[in-house]
Amino acid sequence: MQPPLKIALAGLGTVGAGVAQLITQNKDIITRRAGREIQITAVSARDKNKNRGVDLSSYRWMDDLSAMASDDDVDVVVELIGGSDGPALTLARESLSHGKNFVTANKAMVAHHGDELATKAEKNGLAIKYEAAVAGGIPVIKGLRDGASANRIERVYGILNGTCNFILSAMEKDGRDFAEVLADAQANGYAEADPSFDIGGVDAAHKLSILASLCFGTKVDFGAVSIGGIEQIKAADIEQAAAMGYRIRLLGLAEIDGDNGGSALFQRVHPYLVRKTHPLAHVTGPTNAVVAEGDFSGRLLFQGAGAGDKPTASAVVADIIDIARGETGPMFGMEQKHLEQLPKAESGHRMGKVYLRFIAADRPGVLAEITAATRDAGLSIESLIQQEANADGTALVSMVTHDGPESAVAETLRLLSGSENLINDPMVMHILR
Amino acid sequence: MQPPLKIALAGLGTVGAGVAQLITQNKDIITRRAGREIQITAVSARDKNKNRGVDLSSYRWMDDLSAMASDDDVDVVVELIGGSDGPALTLARESLSHGKNFVTANKAMVAHHGDELATKAEKNGLAIKYEAAVAGGIPVIKGLRDGASANRIERVYGILNGTCNFILSAMEKDGRDFAEVLADAQANGYAEADPSFDIGGVDAAHKLSILASLCFGTKVDFGAVSIGGIEQIKAADIEQAAAMGYRIRLLGLAEIDGDNGGSALFQRVHPYLVRKTHPLAHVTGPTNAVVAEGDFSGRLLFQGAGAGDKPTASAVVADIIDIARGETGPMFGMEQKHLEQLPKAESGHRMGKVYLRFIAADRPGVLAEITAATRDAGLSIESLIQQEANADGTALVSMVTHDGPESAVAETLRLLSGSENLINDPMVMHILR
């Protein structure tokens, strides 16, 4: 058997502690699968004395991350610090410079600096692995990078943020409004004290930009993701969507757009209406799910726990085992020079159905104004529901359109902007085709 | 860039033709992902002149498979002939003997001879890959072998046969009986003229034995799978199951049984009742889905097309790309010497609920006889439905039991065997917990 693979853990939060626990607890099966022992030879975190529920006293403690990156007794540096820049990024750069393979769970860093890090790893003949950065414990990076590698992927989309899905399915189940469910989720540890990255869609966008690169052979382009969140969704939206046969999910969706002359990369995180017959409509709670549509594979679905210390540790250690086995190809499935840099796709010419919801004053002429605007914008209505007015004198009008270009939706909103009949901005959600 | 990887295709049925088409059609993206060109340098099949819908005239034709296995212009032999023994097995042995890497879609051969072939590949430092052998286009071998590698898998189960799932979901949808739907499926190409391997559960058992090896680090043991099929399922069973909140699926299920003193390997293919809230209840048509429950990952679900020329080709070519990348570890995720050989688990002590269905003569005392038998066997009934008698004077009695040992179910059947009140053997289905 080969000599042990020596790893250093930087960051000992719940995931870091989970990784240490997993390596210890499943030592026998991990050694058999890796073909060699996985040995933790150094650990580091901000606070040496914090109780982490795992005994780390036998590991060598390092206060200096730069020293860790160049330590002779380390083959693989495992970064579980987080943050797109700062110490995590410095550690990545220094580890790769000093000939260490690198494993990370850091979606923000990969989304922002994947190109730089992949180039550096490639130049130095090193592996950089990030299974845990997308969809927690689900092996979707390996599934797409290795499992779907023969395919031209036509579209990739999924539920990439467990907090949002937890909130949406709780709203669905109990008919409660967003703010109330969020407060509950925070109280129960399903949402962060500052949940803006989750509910605003940024976290899902980080992951989407990584998936898009893997699926399409393009450079990671986080800056080109259109991002929307779930803050504006009301219990009434969920109810209306259900009445029309849909459920609401925050999806990240990416595809290559060849319709507008030349190829462009379309990436969007936004709440979508998903038909109840679609598998994603049945994904509830903090679960994640990713769908990739390959030209030969057809529709592939990967589903599982999107977060949590144990599932994330499972993904991190799988990456370490890959390295132990010598399975260490290019970060995004091909050499960096083969990745294309595509422009951001415009959305105006995209065809689709949308859900539009207005909160309007309950007075004559409101429906006439809305329907005149859709007519003038060339947007055709498939179904429309106006609810009985609320006690506060407002009424909710929701509609689903026929297939039409997104430019017509934008034009409808433009025509209605400044309308005295409308309270708040209208809510637009796309319908997954 | 490295020199091309030269492959030989043995077997040019729909899958073989699909592989040739895929390698040609997606040449650019495959070359970028493989880091080198994939070149077909030889092909072979029984009939050279058959029209396969793909132009194969530019490839070198070989009539002699032994010559293919030792050809200097071949790096990888791709076997798409099928059959557990015969020419496929000879080709596998000869290819590995002559230093060729080997890719196969042949579940029967891997189930029966996986141990021998893996040992031979390992001794010669070669890869043997078989992603297409299980669940068609779904990358479940890579997902489990590489993605879940850090986990002690507690249980693996899934819908492993598309024909059966197609038939069961058609019965579910239309309320028709098995024989009628099967005839339709045969007419439409969803079932073979001789469907016995599919509907009898043998095909699913081949796949289950492979999954079990990967998940548990045990030797493939097809002979130890308990196998049942779907032939006895009636429209009335599906209706009764639905009334109690279940759908019926043919599942393969394997787990390590540590309850009976020492570890043993439990493997069963059988129709199961699956709660409507479970993701597998929503898998319809010829789709496959595999669930693995890891101690750290939690429940992972992989879903997609279980058969068909294009999805299967997608899996075959992904294996070829793995080899081109040099990602070529042991066949079952660890060296053969590390795989355990566990005894077959007994089932009598297994606890669970079952669905029992009797077709009885419509006369007084039938229910008393059945319920006396369950009482005497120590089997406790959770719910029971007796339908109105049919025109032929028979009545259907179905029940779901409380949790109990399977030995009590067997005892119930023993007590009722030879009963003059019962027509046909009773039908037993387990309920997925």
Side-chain angles (χ1 to χ4, degrees), chain A residues 216-279:
Chain A
F216 307 128
T218 51
K219 292 210 169 174
V220 178
D221 193 357
F222 170 71
V225 186
S226 301
I227 306 177
I230 63 168
E231 308 91 331
Q232 305 306 323
I233 298 173
K234 296 185 176 299
D237 291 316
I238 289 177
E239 204 180 301
Q240 298 302 335
M244 296 186 274
Y246 297 99
R247 292 195 177 130
I248 299 176
R249 294 289 179 266
L250 184 78
L251 299 187
L253 182 150
E255 63 190 326
I256 297 294
D257 182 350
D259 295 341
N260 206 21
S263 281
L265 177 59
F266 178 80
Q267 302 177 98
R268 173 187 275 158
V269 171
H270 212 259
Y272 277 75
L273 268 63
V274 178
R275 273 226 168 274
K276 281 183 189 168
T277 49
H278 192 287

Side-chain angles (χ1 to χ4, degrees), chain A residues 390-409:
Chain A
N390 293 315
D392 65 359
T394 64
L396 194 130
V397 178
S398 56
M399 63 171 75
V400 165
T401 69
H402 281 292
D403 259 333
E406 292 191 10
S407 57
V409 178

Side-chain angles (χ1 to χ4, degrees), chain A residues 144-219:
Chain A
L144 294 173
R145 182 191 179 280
D146 305 335
S149 57
N151 289 266
R152 217 174 286 284
I153 306 282
E154 285 153 3
R155 193 160 73 133
V156 63
Y157 58 95
I159 295 169
L160 300 174
N161 184 275
T163 304
C164 287
N165 210 60
F166 176 85
I167 292 173
L168 289 174
S169 33
M171 289 172 71
E172 200 169 275
K173 186 157 162 273
D174 307 335
R176 289 185 299 164
D177 253 318
F178 173 78
E180 199 185 326
V181 174
L182 172 61
D184 251 28
Q186 286 173 311
N188 293 307
Y190 288 107
E192 311 259 352
D194 175 3
S196 55
F197 262 39
D198 289 316
I199 63 171
V202 173
D203 175 77
H206 285 146
K207 297 166 184 168
L208 181 67
S209 69
I210 297 169
L211 292 178
S213 171
L214 273 176
C215 285
F216 307 128
T218 51
K219 292 210 169 174

